[in-house]
Amino acid sequence: MHYLLSAKLRRSILSTFIILLSFNSFAQNTAPQSTQTQPAATTQPAQTAPAQKVDPAQISNQQAVDFYKQAKTSGMSDMDIERAALQKGYTLDQISAMRKRLLNPDKNAKEVKNPNREALDETREQNERDTESNNEKDSTNSQKATVRKENRTFGASFFSTSANSFEPNLRIATPRNYILGPEDELVVDIYGNYVDNFKMKISPEGTVKMLNLAPVYVNGMTIEQATERIVSRLRQAYSSLNRPGSGTYLSLTLGNVRSISVLITGEAARPGTYTVSSLATAFNALSVSGGPNENGSYRNIEIIRNNKILKKIDLYHFLVDADLKDNIALQDQDIILIRPYDSRIELKGEFKRQGIFEAKSGEKFMDLVRYAGGFTPEAYTSLFTYQRNTGTNYIIGSIDSTQMLTFTPRNGDIFTVRKILDAVSNQVEVRGAVTIPGNYALEERCNTVLKLISLAQGLSQRAFLNRAILERVSGDTQTGIIAIDLRKLINKEINDIPLQPGDILTIKSIEDLKEFTYLSISGSVINPGNYYYYKDITIADLIFQAGGYTEGGVPYRIEVSRRIKNDTLDLPSTQNVRIFTMEVTDKLALNSEDQKFKLFPYDIITVRKSPRYESQKLVTILGEVKYPGKYTIVSNFERITDLFPKAGGLKPEAYLRGAKFYRNQELVAVDLDAITRKPTLPANLLLLNGDTLMIPRQSETVRIQGAVQNPSLVNFDSEFSFEEYISQAGGYAEQAWKNRIYVSYPNGRTHRMKRFLFFKSYPTVEPGSTIIIPQKAINQHEKTPGERVALYSFLLSSVSTLTLLFISLNNK
């Protein structure tokens, strides 16, 4: 059997640890070490490094117990330890923090139980699981049984939450019914004409001793009873104590409380003996033990004192109604016995709180509904189904709402409340051409077709009156249709039609029964596109809807393209459309002539643009001209050479042979020097919108790139030959394709090398040119020069050998 820390030990652990840490012998270690003490008579303090201050939260309980024992062995009292701790700089908050941690039942309460209990519990649980598994293999409801085994018992989650410790509050005023016992501390405060204050601890014999007076027996008394006895004894020293008008009074309060031992047994999650505060209640102890286990009752928990049942606890009073009448204070050697449950019923479906609920004998289904918080708003409460275990199989039963107060559930029953259907039983609907379509209640003022139309604020102006449809679900679950002549019904030429639940009245509009008709307009209007067709609409009306003419649009030569339907007179057999050319007033003013020509559905109208209207076309000339910038193309016949007079002519440094002409941001190869000398050349292109001409200065460099040893940018020298430029780049590379050499000029033109027989003609190199030597494609199977020499040597050697062999054979 293990024992737990006493109240005195728990109150002193933190202070002891703090003091001992201040000594060098306990600065960093958990085990004691040899130390050297200073003589008591030394007046000068020892010059030692200050002890490290350790956070109490980092100290284990066993370390604190060891330090406490060593401190007591050295002769220090609890008061000395606390006083020294305060002098060392530790606060009351730190002391309270350690005390609270030690008093936390979840972390520090130690159980007195059979060491083999855990193994026995595990064996029992395993046997139960094996038995259930075997039974469920042959059951058609094995899946349901597995779900029921989940711990969803009402109240289990309360004890499974670590935050619900129900730790007793040690800072409250002393309860009026608190019974004093050994190890309790009493604080006496005398005030008035005389002032005194002292503490007394109740001895194991149940007495307290004060001043030099005889002991007073207070064991088993309340604070009020103990106060009367202590005042009576203290009147031997203070004769007028607590007498009216005396001016001297006494106040007795409870200081540190004692610890008591409580045994928790039966179907507890963690049965055993627990040491708790004397202020602890039944709920405190149950919380420490984890509450009832999976077989424990939440409604039959007994408090046994002196072998008699003192109280029977029903936790549902607290869990459902927050009633604490069963939360009585505990005394030393009390026993809490958790009985096995008698009956549990599962509630599923549309309950506010689903789960497994424990039922007492005689409780009805309505009591369980109250424990579950009632039904959800969507619950179907006319009929409830339940599943019951008969001992051999499951059966299904049902009860109605009138049996809720009288039906008694049995152990293992599963009640299911279903959700109501997503349908309205007294609803009718009207759709289509009424003022306010929608759902309406089937009642006296809305129980016929005419009343429904009236309640929907009548028919719309475009309602189709020749026919309406009433959809109705017949008895064979098929939807039927009732055709109604609305015109005759409104005129009361036929009888009104009564409505039934679920009826849907559909009234079409005239537009609903027509194909969607539209007109198309394109060309020089602001918003071209498709527009609704209206009766008697004209071309001017449609142009008005399209936002009017754009700039450049003309009101004449408007073309109307029309489909042919029946009017095929005077049309050749190959023609399937009619074309009309119309003229409309410029300002879209109303005109009797315009009203004569009506548009038909699906007509296509095209508004033309003025033949000479167009946006300005701009070209750009940059570089070495006097007035570079953008210029407008005046006519459609302007050419490149026409730009120079507009730009004020060329500057002296302009280099025409290097001029670049761009169209749509692409370089067009044009020899500007040639076309300025002869404007009639085809290269003198017509100008288009967006063209750009760039006149550069003469470049003084030539670029050599491609298959050369050192691609370079070299200076232009008119004395250099083509081969000399190649030499400037280090000569040809091994893979140079010498027959494909070409020169790219600044104006975009390109000239390549020409060859006739053994004669080569290289292109002229000009300033700013680029000499490009292509590279041959690398053939992986091509032999290197060394490999070719070796191959030729081998062939020649072979031929020589064969020749000599042939001559030798002929000589024989």
Side-chain angles (χ1 to χ4, degrees):
M1 298 289 288
H2 300 286
Y3 66 92
L4 301 178
L5 299 176
S6 66
K8 177 179 179 181
L9 178 60
R10 292 201 305 271
R11 291 194 301 268
S12 304
I13 284 176
L14 175 63
S15 300
T16 303
F17 171 69
I18 295 172
I19 298 305
L20 293 178
L21 283 182
S22 65
F23 299 154
N24 291 335
S25 60
F26 301 111
Q28 300 293 335
N29 302 292
T30 59
Q33 299 177 1
S34 60
T35 59
Q36 295 180 355
T37 58
Q38 296 293 335
T42 303
T43 57
Q44 295 296 331
Q47 301 298 322
T48 60
Q52 183 179 359
K53 191 173 180 180
V54 181
D55 186 359
Q58 300 176 355
I59 307 305
S60 68
N61 293 339
Q62 187 58 44
Q63 289 175 318
V65 171
D66 293 340
F67 292 141
Y68 176 76
K69 290 180 179 179
Q70 293 184 36
K72 297 299 289 184
T73 303
S74 65
M76 297 179 66
S77 65
D78 292 345
M79 187 64 69
D80 294 335
I81 294 174
E82 293 179 0
R83 188 179 298 110
L86 293 173
Q87 291 177 355
K88 290 296 182 179
Y90 288 90
T91 65
L92 293 175
D93 290 337
Q94 290 175 315
I95 297 174
S96 298
M98 174 59 94
R99 186 176 299 161
K100 182 177 181 180
R101 184 165 68 91
L102 293 177
L103 290 176
N104 188 339
D106 288 340
K107 297 182 179 179
N108 303 287
K110 298 183 179 179
E111 304 175 8
V112 180
K113 59 183 179 179
N114 189 338
N116 297 322
R117 178 63 180 269
E118 293 183 358
L120 293 174
D121 289 344
E122 292 178 359
T123 303
R124 182 175 64 181
E125 292 174 1
Q126 182 62 41
N127 292 336
E128 291 177 353
R129 286 193 294 268
D130 294 341
T131 302
E132 291 163 1
S133 177
N134 293 332
N135 291 336
E136 291 170 4
K137 288 181 180 178
D138 299 328
S139 174
T140 56
N141 297 297
S142 59
Q143 184 176 2
K144 294 181 180 179
T146 302
V147 174
R148 291 176 62 195
K149 283 301 297 177
E150 297 178 4
N151 189 11
R152 296 184 293 112
T153 306
F154 177 59
S157 61
F158 181 82
F159 290 101
S160 64
T161 306
S162 59
N164 297 333
S165 63
F166 263 105
E167 181 179 341
N169 189 354
L170 302 181
R171 298 179 180 271
I172 62 173
T174 305
R176 299 180 60 86
N177 59 349
Y178 181 78
I179 304 299
L180 297 175
E183 296 299 326
D184 278 341
E185 184 183 60
L186 299 177
V187 179
V188 177
D189 187 14
I190 300 175
Y191 58 95
N193 296 333
Y194 298 93
V195 177
D196 199 355
N197 180 274
F198 52 88
K199 297 178 180 180
M200 306 177 295
K201 184 169 291 186
I202 301 176
S203 68
E205 292 77 18
T207 62
V208 293
K209 192 174 185 327
M210 51 199 139
L211 303 179
N212 294 321
L213 303 175
V216 177
Y217 186 81
V218 295
N219 184 41
M221 297 182 181
T222 64
I223 288 291
E224 289 79 4
Q225 294 170 343
T227 300
E228 293 179 2
R229 287 204 174 188
I230 291 173
V231 168
S232 177
R233 184 57 52 87
L234 283 176
R235 282 176 179 170
Q236 297 178 11
Y238 306 96
S239 58
S240 61
L241 184 64
N242 271 22
R243 297 186 186 277
S246 63
T248 303
Y249 303 96
L250 177 142
S251 172
L252 181 66
T253 57
L254 184 65
N256 293 328
V257 297
R258 69 185 185 279
S259 297
I260 61 175
S261 179
V262 177
L263 174 63
I264 302 176
T265 185
E267 299 297 330
R270 295 187 295 274
T273 300
Y274 291 86
T275 298
V276 296
S277 166
S278 58
L279 292 175
T281 63
F283 287 3
N284 301 145
L286 286 173
S287 177
V288 171
S289 67
N293 62 18
E294 62 180 5
N295 294 322
S297 172
Y298 288 80
R299 311 194 64 184
N300 190 10
I301 302 174
E302 298 177 356
I303 306 296
I304 301 175
R305 183 175 297 166
N306 298 327
N307 293 326
K308 295 181 180 180
I309 298 177
L310 177 67
K311 186 74 174 178
K312 285 190 176 182
I313 297 177
D314 185 347
L315 287 177
Y316 277 25
H317 292 160
F318 170 71
L319 296 175
V320 177
D321 301 322
D323 188 349
L324 290 173
K325 66 180 181 180
D326 293 337
N327 191 23
I328 65 173
L330 297 177
Q331 294 186 13
D332 194 29
Q333 302 305 316
D334 278 354
I335 299 175
I336 300 179
L337 175 60
I338 302 178
R339 298 282 185 181
Y341 71 87
D342 291 329
S343 176
R344 282 184 179 173
I345 291 89
E346 183 174 357
L347 302 183
K348 298 170 58 178
E350 297 302 316
F351 292 96
K352 291 181 180 178
R353 185 186 297 119
Q354 299 185 52
I356 300 173
F357 295 82
E358 186 175 344
K360 282 186 174 181
S361 176
E363 285 190 327
K364 307 302 179 183
F365 176 66
M366 191 63 195
D367 297 320
L368 297 177
V369 173
R370 188 177 74 86
Y371 299 150
F375 302 109
T376 65
E378 296 82 17
Y380 177 70
T381 57
S382 295
L383 188 69
F384 311 99
T385 60
Y386 64 89
Q387 176 183 291
R388 176 166 292 173
N389 183 359
T390 64
T392 57
N393 58 5
Y394 288 103
I395 63 172
I396 298 296
S398 64
I399 61 174
D400 57 33
S401 57
T402 62
Q403 297 175 277
M404 293 177 61
L405 296 174
T406 59
F407 185 80
T408 302
R410 293 183 185 177
N411 184 31
D413 284 356
I414 302 176
F415 285 84
T416 302
V417 176
R418 292 181 173 82
K419 197 173 184 179
I420 60 176
L421 295 176
D422 189 13
V424 181
S425 60
N426 65 334
Q427 172 183 294
V428 291
E429 182 181 358
V430 58
R431 300 174 180 173
V434 292
T435 304
I436 307 177
N439 298 324
Y440 292 87
L442 182 59
E443 51 192 7
E444 181 64 27
R445 58 180 176 177
C446 184
N447 56 5
T448 65
V449 172
L450 281 179
K451 289 181 180 180
L452 176 60
I453 295 174
S454 176
L455 201 61
Q457 303 302 312
L459 299 172
S460 65
Q461 295 181 353
R462 302 290 292 172
F464 182 73
L465 301 180
N466 292 342
R467 181 181 294 268
I469 290 177
L470 182 65
E471 299 178 31
R472 175 171 294 171
V473 178
S474 59
D476 57 359
T477 70
Q478 295 295 324
T479 301
I481 292 179
I482 301 174
I484 304 172
D485 188 334
L486 272 183
R487 193 182 305 277
K488 291 182 178 180
L489 182 65
I490 294 173
N491 294 332
K492 297 184 179 181
E493 298 177 13
I494 59 176
N495 295 328
D496 200 357
I497 300 174
L499 295 176
Q500 296 181 8
D503 282 355
I504 300 175
L505 177 64
T506 302
I507 301 173
K508 297 286 188 180
S509 66
I510 296 176
E511 286 78 11
D512 293 336
L513 300 176
K514 289 184 178 180
E515 182 184 6
F516 171 70
T517 55
Y518 61 90
L519 300 170
S520 297
I521 184 169
S522 62
S524 297
V525 290
I526 295 176
N527 298 309
N530 296 330
Y531 291 86
Y532 285 106
Y533 171 79
Y534 297 97
K535 184 180 178 181
D536 297 333
I537 188 172
T538 64
I539 297 176
D541 296 333
L542 182 60
I543 295 174
F544 176 78
Q545 287 188 339
Y549 301 103
T550 61
E551 187 70 25
V554 293
Y556 51 87
R557 295 190 63 85
I558 297 176
E559 182 181 280
V560 179
S561 173
R562 178 171 297 168
R563 299 177 183 179
I564 296 176
K565 189 174 181 182
N566 297 319
D567 52 343
T568 59
L569 187 64
D570 299 332
L571 283 180
S573 59
T574 58
Q575 184 175 344
N576 296 323
V577 295
R578 287 185 183 274
I579 303 297
F580 303 93
T581 302
M582 309 299 297
E583 183 172 337
V584 182
T585 56
D586 188 12
K587 297 182 180 180
L588 299 180
L590 291 175
N591 189 305
S592 58
E593 295 297 325
D594 294 343
Q595 301 296 322
K596 294 179 180 179
F597 185 82
K598 306 296 183 182
L599 295 176
F600 284 11
Y602 311 111
D603 281 355
I604 298 176
I605 294 88
T606 305
V607 179
R608 306 296 181 188
K609 185 177 66 173
S610 174
R612 300 195 62 179
Y613 178 85
E614 63 179 14
S615 58
Q616 296 87 339
K617 300 176 182 178
L618 301 176
V619 294
T620 304
I621 182 170
L622 303 172
E624 302 304 319
V625 293
K626 293 183 179 180
Y627 303 103
K630 294 183 181 295
Y631 291 90
T632 301
I633 300 175
V634 177
S635 71
N636 294 330
F637 301 100
E638 287 192 19
R639 298 184 178 272
I640 296 175
T641 53
D642 296 327
L643 280 176
F644 297 121
K646 293 183 178 182
L650 300 172
K651 291 183 179 180
E653 58 271 21
Y655 182 53
L656 287 179
R657 298 182 66 85
K660 297 180 181 181
F661 183 76
Y662 294 92
R663 175 164 289 172
N664 297 327
Q665 299 182 349
E666 292 185 13
L667 179 63
V668 181
V670 175
D671 189 351
L672 197 62
D673 184 54
I675 63 177
T676 52
R677 293 195 302 269
K678 191 176 181 181
T680 58
L681 289 175
N684 192 12
L685 303 176
L686 290 172
L687 294 177
L688 298 180
N689 186 40
D691 286 349
T692 299
L693 180 61
M694 176 66 186
I695 311 296
R697 292 185 180 186
Q698 180 174 332
S699 175
E700 296 181 344
T701 60
V702 174
R703 183 176 296 278
I704 308 167
Q705 63 185 33
V708 292
Q709 299 293 343
N710 182 29
S712 306
L713 181 67
V714 300
N715 67 290
F716 172 77
D717 191 334
S718 59
E719 301 296 330
F720 276 7
S721 65
F722 189 89
E723 293 293 342
E724 287 176 319
Y725 279 111
I726 300 299
S727 298
Q728 293 289 318
Y732 296 107
E734 184 177 350
Q735 299 297 328
W737 201 348
K738 299 178 183 179
N739 294 334
R740 296 292 186 270
I741 295 173
Y742 63 92
V743 175
S744 178
Y745 297 103
N747 59 11
R749 288 182 171 270
T750 301
H751 291 167
R752 59 163 293 181
M753 185 195 77
K754 297 179 181 179
R755 186 171 183 176
F756 179 72
L757 296 179
F758 298 103
F759 301 100
K760 296 180 180 180
S761 176
Y762 291 103
T764 304
V765 179
E766 297 180 356
S769 301
T770 300
I771 301 173
I772 301 171
I773 297 91
Q775 184 175 354
K776 293 181 179 179
I778 299 176
N779 187 354
Q780 300 293 338
H781 303 288
E782 185 178 357
K783 301 291 188 297
T784 63
E787 291 175 338
R788 289 196 293 269
V789 171
L791 179 61
Y792 295 153
S793 299
F794 173 74
L795 292 176
L796 289 174
S797 177
S798 299
V799 171
S800 299
T801 302
L802 292 174
T803 303
L804 292 174
L805 179 60
F806 179 74
I807 294 173
S808 177
L809 290 175
N810 287 334
N811 289 335
K812 291 181 180 181

